[in-house]
Amino acid sequence: MDNFFTFDDFEINSEWSVHVIPFRNIPILYIHDIYKKPFRVYEYLKQCPIRTHKDVTKDSKNGKFFYDGQHVVDNRWDVSRVHLYDKIKEFYHVEDKDVPLSRYNQFRMIDDHPGEEMFFHPHQDNKINCCTYLNPDVGDSAGTVLYSSESLDDDLEHDKPWKTVDDGFRSELSIMSKFNCMAVFPGHIHHGQNIVGNYFKEQTRFTEVVFF
């Protein structure tokens, strides 16, 4: 059955091709071919309802202009996943023995994109971010943008989701959204999902995120 999934569908590969990209004297990792069966993961995610993972405030646009949610799966049984995470933590000198859960982000637009000069609210996580792109047919331009910031605003991401360069953010690097590839970068760098045009009115954007 197409809607029945097993552990095998979520296994990751035990060997990877890795590129190291210098950025502000900080290395960014780009790791290819994460999952053994990425299309099965994609099919699973398409069947998951979108459930918000953040408080919906009175000013939140989530659920009104777009859907932004997260689906959590426990994939800690996979020894190859644990090995990959250990290698990433070793590379960034992170002392953390915990193996995190898989958090699959879901983003779907309801309204039209507000204009090409607008980009989704950059934010910081202050951890090492691992982001795996899981849409097979969106091309390279739906990844993650890294920004420099002179912004002093404290807007909540869902209250005022769209920003322009006048808000103090400057795009410095656009990470490609190659299917089944993982980008790893320090989360203190301002970053945001690259939402271009109305493509994600037609389908949901899927990324797996892990933090160390």
Side-chain angles (χ1 to χ4, degrees):
M1 295 177 61
D2 290 341
N3 62 350
F4 179 76
F5 299 86
T6 69
F7 286 144
D8 290 349
D9 293 319
F10 292 86
E11 282 187 337
I12 73 168
N13 287 305
S14 57
E15 296 182 355
W16 316 273
S17 172
V18 181
H19 287 90
V20 181
I21 304 165
F23 176 74
R24 298 185 194 165
N25 296 318
I26 301 171
I28 294 172
L29 301 181
Y30 202 77
I31 306 171
H32 299 258
D33 298 322
I34 298 297
Y35 281 99
K36 292 181 178 180
K37 300 178 180 178
F39 284 96
R40 289 294 288 158
V41 179
Y42 175 64
E43 289 300 320
Y44 173 83
L45 293 174
K46 287 198 298 181
Q47 299 181 41
C48 296
I50 300 176
R51 178 182 180 272
T52 183
H53 58 300
K54 298 180 180 179
D55 289 338
V56 179
T57 67
K58 65 180 179 64
D59 295 321
S60 176
K61 307 303 186 291
N62 195 10
K64 301 173 183 175
F65 301 147
F66 54 83
Y67 301 120
D68 191 6
Q70 190 176 85
H71 182 73
V72 180
V73 176
D74 188 349
N75 287 320
R76 293 175 294 183
W77 49 268
D78 187 351
V79 293
S80 293
R81 181 183 296 268
V82 174
H83 178 62
L84 174 60
Y85 291 170
D86 285 344
K87 287 298 183 182
I88 293 171
K89 287 185 282 188
E90 179 183 334
F91 184 85
Y92 285 102
H93 307 291
V94 174
E95 295 183 3
D96 183 357
K97 295 182 179 179
D98 291 337
V99 180
L101 297 169
S102 296
R103 302 180 182 276
Y104 296 98
N105 284 348
Q106 309 150 298
F107 183 85
R108 185 75 171 258
M109 295 177 64
I110 302 171
D111 282 5
D112 286 345
H113 192 284
E116 62 180 18
E117 76 283 358
M118 309 291 287
F119 48 86
F120 206 79
H121 197 314
H123 65 280
Q124 296 170 291
D125 294 308
N126 296 316
K127 295 183 178 182
I128 298 299
N129 289 27
C130 306
C131 181
T132 303
Y133 304 103
L134 292 170
N135 290 87
D137 56 355
V138 299
D140 294 336
S141 61
T144 304
V145 180
L146 305 186
Y147 297 88
S148 60
S149 174
E150 298 176 355
S151 175
L152 299 176
D153 72 48
D154 57 357
D155 297 334
L156 295 176
E157 180 179 359
H158 286 166
D159 290 1
K160 295 184 179 179
W162 299 105
K163 298 294 182 181
T164 72
V165 292
D166 293 336
D167 293 304
F169 298 102
R170 297 290 186 276
S171 171
E172 291 197 359
L173 180 68
S174 182
I175 299 174
M176 296 187 303
S177 53
K178 186 178 178 182
F179 181 51
N180 199 31
C181 291
M182 176 193 289
V184 186
F185 57 91
H188 72 269
I189 302 170
H190 280 84
H191 58 280
Q193 57 184 345
N194 196 11
I195 305 298
V196 179
N198 287 331
Y199 194 85
F200 290 112
K201 285 186 71 175
E202 306 300 325
Q203 66 167 286
T204 303
R205 181 182 189 266
F206 297 120
T207 54
E208 180 183 359
V209 292
V210 172
F211 304 102
F212 303 121

